[in-house]
Amino acid sequence: HGRSAAAAFQARDLQTAKTEIENTKNALAEANQTYQSVRPFMAIPVLGAYLKDGDRVFTAGTQGVEVAELVVRAIEPYAELMGFTGAISSDPALATAEDRIIFVAETVEKLAPEMDNISAKLKQVDEAISQIDENRYPKTINGMNVRENITQAKATVSGLASSLSNFQPIVKLLPDLLGNPDPRKYLLLFQNDAELRATGGFLTAYATLTITKGKKEPGISEDIYTLDNGFKKKVPAPDPIKKYLPLVYNWNLRDMNLSPDFKVSMDTFTTYMRESSVAPEYDAIIAIDTEVPVRILKVLGPIGVSGYGGKFSAENDPRCDCPQVIYELENIITKPTYEIREGRKSILGPLMNSMLANMMGSPKAKWAEFFNIFTESIEQKHLLMYFKDENKQLAAEALGAAGRLTTYTEGDYLHINDSNFAGAKSNLFVESEVTQEISLNEDGSATKKLTLTYKNPRKGDNCNLEAGQLCLNGLLRSWTRIYVPKGSVLKGGKGFEADMGSSDDLGYTVLDGFFTLAPQSVKKLEVEYTIPAGTIKGDDYKMLIQNQPGTDPVKHTITVSGTKAKVVTVDSDQEITITR
C-alpha cells in the first residue's frame, strides 16, 4: 500500500494517493498489533535489540503516514496547479494558469504553518529510525543486501527531513518572489551551454521581467555585448583568461562567470555590471541554459516568436542533429555576417515571453509537466538563482537552486569543471565519462586515479570566418579544473597540453590543466593524486560528486580497493556510499 501511495503521487493521482495512504495506515496498524505479541521477548539480551529495531520501524512508519496525510492536506489547494488529477476543483474564477499563479501569490503564506508541522513529524521519523544500528546486521542474507538497505533507508529519511527544512524558507518567501505585496524585478541571463563555461555556459544575452502579484510584465531584451559596450572600465583579465582565451587581456562582463560557484561569479559580475551605463535594475538573477527552452518546447510543441519568423521547436534538426531551437538560436546569435543585425542576441526575451504565454494558455493536463521541468531544471542546475537580499539568497541555497559548491566533511569530494575558451560550440557534441580507481589506507587517506574521457564523434564545421558559415563544431579548447578535498596532493597528470597546476579555492584543492579536442576524436586525461588522512571515516566509503551546471549526465565508474565497480550516472549533486 505504501508503494502504491508513492506511485500515485509520482503519477500525480491525488485521489488514489489518498486512498492508498488510508490503506497503508490500516495495514500498518494491523501489522503493528500482531508484532506486539513478541514484545515480551524484548527483554532477552541480543534478540531484544533486534526486536526493538522492529518496534522503531513501526513507530517511524506510523509517523510517516501522518506526514503523508499532512502533505496531502497542505498541497490540496494547489494540487490542480501542480498537475494532480483527482484534485478538488478550486474557484471557477481561476480559469487560467495565470489566475492560479496569482492565487498562489496571495494564499501560499498560509502553507508555512503546515510545513512546520510536517517538518516536526519528519524529524520524529528520523529520530526513530536513526536509532537502528545497521552495523549489527549482516551485509547480505540469502543474496539480499541488508546492511546497505538499512543505511539507504536511514539516509533517505534523513535527507527528506533535511530537504523539507531547506524548502520551508522558500515557501515563506514565495509570496514576495511572486511580487506580493511589492513588484519584483528579475534579470534573466542566458548561459549558452554549447560553449560551456564554469557556471553553465557563455553569458550570451539578458532580459528583464517584472512580476506583480503573480502577473508578469516583460521588459528589455538585449545582447550581452550591449552591457559590455557600456562597461568602460579596464579590468585586467585573470591569468587563466589571458593564458587560454586568445587575444583577451581585459576582463569583460561576458567572461566574469569564471568561478564554478554561481554566487561567487554573480557577486563579481553584478559588482562590475553596476558600472555599465546600461545596467538594468533587478532584485534577483535567474540564469538558464538551452535545456530549459528545449524541455518546455517538448511539451508545448512548435511556437512562433514575434519578430523572428518561422517556428521554434524541440524536434531534431539534421543540420546539427540537435533540437531545432538550439540550431536556430545559434544561427541567430553566432553566425558571422557582413550585415549589421541590431540586437541579434536579444532573442532571449521574445522567446521566453512567447513560451510563457503559451504555457499560461496550456490545458491543465500539461501543468504537471511544466512543474516537473521547473523542479528538475533546478535540481540538475539548468536553472540557477541569485538574490540581492541575503534572506532570499539563503532560501535559494537551501533549495539547492543557487549553484553553490558546498562544504562536505563526510568523506571524499569531486567536482569536475570545464571552461570552453574559444572552442566554438563544440560542447553541443562532446560526450564525457569518468573512471575513478580508489585505494584506501587505514588512516583514512587514499590514492586516486581519475580517467576523464572526452569524445567528439561529429565532423567539424567550416570555422573560417571568411566563409561566413555557422561554426558549431570546431577545435574544443578546454580549461579543466578538478576540485578535490583540501590538502590533496597531485602526483601526476597525462593528456594535457601543459603541466597541471595545483591551488586552493572555495575550501578545496584544485587540480587544473588545459587540453584540446578535435572533431571526430577522443581524448583521455589521467590524473593521480592522494587525499589526506582522516578524509574517509568509518567502514563505508562516502563521496559527494557535484555536477557542473549546463552539462549532460556523466557516467562515473567507481572502484574502491578492489570492490565491485559501482556505476552511477551523475546529472545532479549525488552522495555516493560504497560498503566495503
Side-chain angles (χ1 to χ4, degrees):
H1 289 304
R3 290 193 188 100
S4 297
F9 263 107
Q10 188 80 16
R12 294 289 201 277
D13 185 345
L14 192 63
Q15 287 304 318
T16 300
K18 289 169 70 174
T19 299
E20 289 299 339
I21 289 170
E22 185 64 24
N23 290 339
T24 305
K25 183 177 181 179
N26 295 334
L28 187 65
E30 183 179 342
N32 192 15
Q33 186 175 3
T34 305
Y35 191 75
Q36 296 310 305
S37 63
V38 302
R39 181 170 286 279
F41 300 102
M42 290 185 184
I44 300 175
V46 183
L47 175 62
Y50 291 101
L51 295 177
K52 287 176 183 177
D53 281 349
D55 209 37
R56 292 178 181 121
V57 169
F58 278 109
T59 298
T62 301
Q63 292 168 334
V65 169
E66 291 177 15
V67 168
E69 291 175 327
L70 287 170
V71 168
V72 168
R73 191 169 68 199
I75 69 170
E76 206 153 19
Y78 312 100
E80 209 170 29
L81 182 60
M82 295 167 70
F84 279 88
T85 59
I88 297 173
S89 296
S90 46
D91 191 332
L94 306 179
T96 68
E98 186 171 52
D99 290 335
R100 297 179 192 280
I101 290 173
I102 295 169
F103 168 72
V104 171
E106 293 175 345
T107 66
V108 76
E109 61 185 355
K110 298 176 184 176
L111 192 57
E114 295 286 353
M115 296 291 288
D116 291 337
N117 291 336
I118 295 168
S119 181
K121 279 287 181 186
L122 260 181
K123 286 178 181 176
Q124 291 175 10
V125 176
D126 189 25
E127 288 170 6
I129 203 167
S130 66
Q131 295 178 53
I132 299 174
D133 182 5
E134 64 269 31
N135 293 316
R136 294 193 298 105
Y137 291 82
K139 289 185 178 180
T140 60
I141 295 178
N142 295 329
M144 182 180 71
N145 291 329
V146 176
R147 188 185 300 172
E148 185 177 355
N149 285 345
I150 296 172
T151 301
Q152 288 180 351
K154 290 172 69 174
T156 299
V157 172
S158 179
L160 282 172
S162 177
S163 296
L164 191 65
S165 295
N166 292 339
F167 193 68
Q168 285 174 282
I170 212 76
V171 170
K172 293 174 181 177
L173 285 172
L174 198 52
D176 183 77
L177 300 181
L178 292 173
N180 185 22
D182 300 315
R184 288 290 172 255
K185 296 180 179 179
Y186 292 93
L187 173 61
L188 306 178
L189 283 180
F190 177 54
Q191 300 195 107
N192 190 348
D193 49 310
E195 186 176 348
L196 190 62
R197 292 292 175 92
T199 66
F202 177 67
L203 299 178
T204 300
Y206 66 98
T208 58
L209 178 71
T210 300
I211 297 182
T212 305
K213 294 185 177 180
K215 293 184 178 181
K216 64 181 182 67
E217 180 185 344
I220 61 171
S221 181
E222 296 288 352
D223 183 327
I224 195 68
Y225 292 90
T226 301
L227 268 183
D228 261 328
N229 290 337
F231 180 59
K232 304 301 181 183
K233 187 173 183 177
K234 301 297 182 183
V235 180
D239 287 342
I241 289 179
K242 288 189 287 189
K243 190 174 181 180
Y244 301 124
L245 194 54
L247 303 177
V248 177
Y249 308 104
N250 293 317
W251 206 6
N252 299 304
L253 293 171
R254 59 186 179 269
D255 296 322
M256 286 186 178
N257 59 337
L258 195 63
S259 172
D261 187 298
F262 186 65
K263 182 183 184 301
V264 174
S265 277
M266 289 301 99
D267 282 346
T268 301
F269 175 78
T270 55
T271 296
Y272 286 111
M273 183 184 72
R274 286 196 294 266
E275 300 186 38
S276 174
S277 59
V278 293
E281 293 184 12
Y282 70 95
D283 295 307
I285 292 174
I286 298 176
I288 64 168
D289 60 34
T290 59
E291 188 67 20
V292 175
V294 167
R295 291 182 181 186
I296 292 173
L297 289 174
K298 282 181 180 178
V299 178
L300 288 177
I303 64 170
V305 179
S306 178
Y308 288 88
K311 294 282 187 179
F312 291 80
S313 78
E315 297 169 4
N316 188 68
D317 192 317
R319 293 173 293 182
C320 63
D321 196 25
C322 67
Q324 182 263 359
V325 63
I326 292 181
Y327 184 87
E328 290 302 333
L329 285 173
E330 298 297 351
N331 192 42
I332 292 168
I333 291 170
T334 66
K335 184 177 179 180
T337 175
Y338 293 107
E339 302 173 0
I340 298 175
R341 292 195 291 182
E342 293 292 337
R344 60 180 181 148
K345 296 191 181 186
S346 64
I347 186 174
L348 174 63
L351 176 62
M352 292 304 297
N353 291 334
S354 181
M355 287 194 298
L356 285 171
N358 279 273
M359 288 167 66
M360 292 300 180
S362 294
K364 296 175 187 177
K366 292 186 176 182
W367 294 353
E369 295 178 80
F370 295 134
F371 185 80
N372 285 340
I373 289 170
F374 176 72
T375 55
E376 289 176 3
S377 294
I378 287 177
E379 182 182 13
Q380 297 168 7
K381 302 182 187 175
H382 297 296
L383 188 156
L384 303 172
M385 299 178 180
Y386 171 86
F387 291 87
K388 277 185 177 181
D389 182 272
E390 185 177 353
N391 289 331
K392 297 183 183 68
Q393 176 64 27
L394 290 174
E397 291 176 16
L399 187 63
R404 304 300 312 265
L405 258 62
T406 58
T407 300
Y408 186 70
T409 59
E410 299 301 312
D412 198 3
Y413 177 87
L414 182 65
H415 171 71
I416 300 169
N417 193 278
D418 293 311
S419 290
N420 178 344
F421 284 144
K425 312 303 174 186
S426 306
N427 296 106
L428 186 58
F429 310 103
V430 172
E431 305 161 3
S432 63
E433 188 175 323
V434 179
T435 299
Q436 303 186 50
E437 299 171 68
I438 305 154
S439 298
L440 302 181
N441 302 315
E442 292 295 328
D443 62 356
S445 64
T447 300
K448 293 191 64 171
K449 178 182 177 181
L450 292 183
T451 302
L452 314 181
T453 303
Y454 294 85
K455 179 181 179 182
N456 186 339
R458 187 176 172 86
K459 182 180 178 181
D461 294 321
N462 185 347
C463 291
N464 186 333
L465 290 178
E466 292 183 358
Q469 297 180 17
L470 179 59
C471 172
L472 295 178
N473 197 19
L475 180 70
L476 175 67
R477 299 167 43 84
S478 182
W479 177 42
T480 298
R481 287 172 284 179
I482 303 170
Y483 283 70
V484 297
K486 190 169 184 179
S488 297
V489 178
L490 176 65
K491 293 298 185 182
K494 297 179 182 178
F496 294 93
E497 307 289 320
D499 291 339
M500 294 187 70
S502 179
S503 59
D504 289 333
D505 183 35
L506 301 171
Y508 293 102
T509 290
V510 186
L511 315 176
D512 75 299
F514 179 83
F515 74 92
T516 59
L517 175 69
Q520 295 182 313
S521 68
V522 177
K523 177 70 63 96
K524 281 187 180 289
L525 310 174
E526 294 182 359
V527 183
E528 291 192 41
Y529 61 96
T530 59
I531 61 177
T535 301
I536 308 302
K537 303 172 178 66
D539 294 334
D540 295 334
Y541 169 81
K542 290 185 177 182
M543 171 175 53
L544 175 65
I545 303 177
Q546 286 199 272
N547 68 313
Q548 179 179 0
T551 55
D552 292 330
V554 177
K555 185 175 85 170
H556 284 246
T557 303
I558 307 166
T559 306
V560 179
S561 293
T563 61
K564 182 180 178 181
K566 183 166 186 172
V567 179
V568 295
T569 299
V570 176
D571 60 0
S572 60
D573 293 349
Q574 288 191 33
E575 185 179 41
I576 310 297
T577 299
I578 298 177
T579 301
R580 291 186 281 162

